[in-house]
Amino acid sequence: MIAPRTSRALDAQTELTTRGNLLQGPLPRPGTWELGETGIDFVPEDPARGRTQVRWEDVDEVRCDIVREHVRSLTVETVTGERAVMIAADSLGVLRTIAAHVGRDRLVDVNAAG
């Protein structure tokens, strides 16, 4: 489940931190993505907006928009049907970290033929 509006970090220690955007609604929200042992944590530039968090055990599927070996976006879908669309400066690092935690079988290339 995606947990919005918290001020507490999801992970005590992060494995990867990168700048990026969270796409929810008509405008992207700039901030920082933090990935750690517990899950994904988005820290917005505007602290009043609160963090958006997804625990690894709640990830059902990660839809990857990959074009010419460049990851344009990642859509994390939870077991409850919620979605978080990620744009990250280190998108390949994010993809590798997610795969290490949820497994490659949950990654889907949306541009793959067939």
Side-chain angles (χ1 to χ4, degrees):
M1 181 167 95
I2 297 176
R5 296 212 169 257
T6 182
S7 60
R8 296 187 47 188
L10 184 62
D11 297 297
Q13 188 172 7
T14 59
E15 297 169 17
L16 176 74
T17 301
T18 184
R19 300 275 313 138
N21 292 304
L22 171 65
L23 302 179
Q24 285 183 326
L27 298 173
R29 290 175 43 196
T32 303
W33 290 101
E34 297 177 351
L35 290 81
E37 74 278 356
T38 306
I40 303 167
D41 197 354
F42 179 74
V43 183
E45 285 181 355
D46 178 5
R49 304 280 315 252
R51 295 173 182 251
T52 298
Q53 301 172 330
V54 180
R55 295 184 174 276
W56 295 126
E57 64 264 17
D58 294 332
V59 174
D60 183 44
E61 180 177 84
V62 180
R63 301 182 59 75
C64 311
D65 184 1
I66 302 171
V67 177
R68 294 189 184 119
E69 300 179 17
H70 175 71
V71 181
R72 294 195 304 187
S73 68
L74 299 165
T75 302
V76 178
E77 298 184 12
T78 68
V79 293
T80 59
E82 296 172 283
R83 291 182 180 167
V85 180
M86 304 172 66
I87 306 292
D90 183 7
S91 56
L92 188 56
V94 169
L95 182 60
R96 288 179 176 149
T97 303
I98 290 173
H101 285 279
V102 303
R104 290 185 171 270
D105 58 320
R106 293 193 191 167
L107 305 179
V108 176
D109 182 353
V110 297
N111 299 312

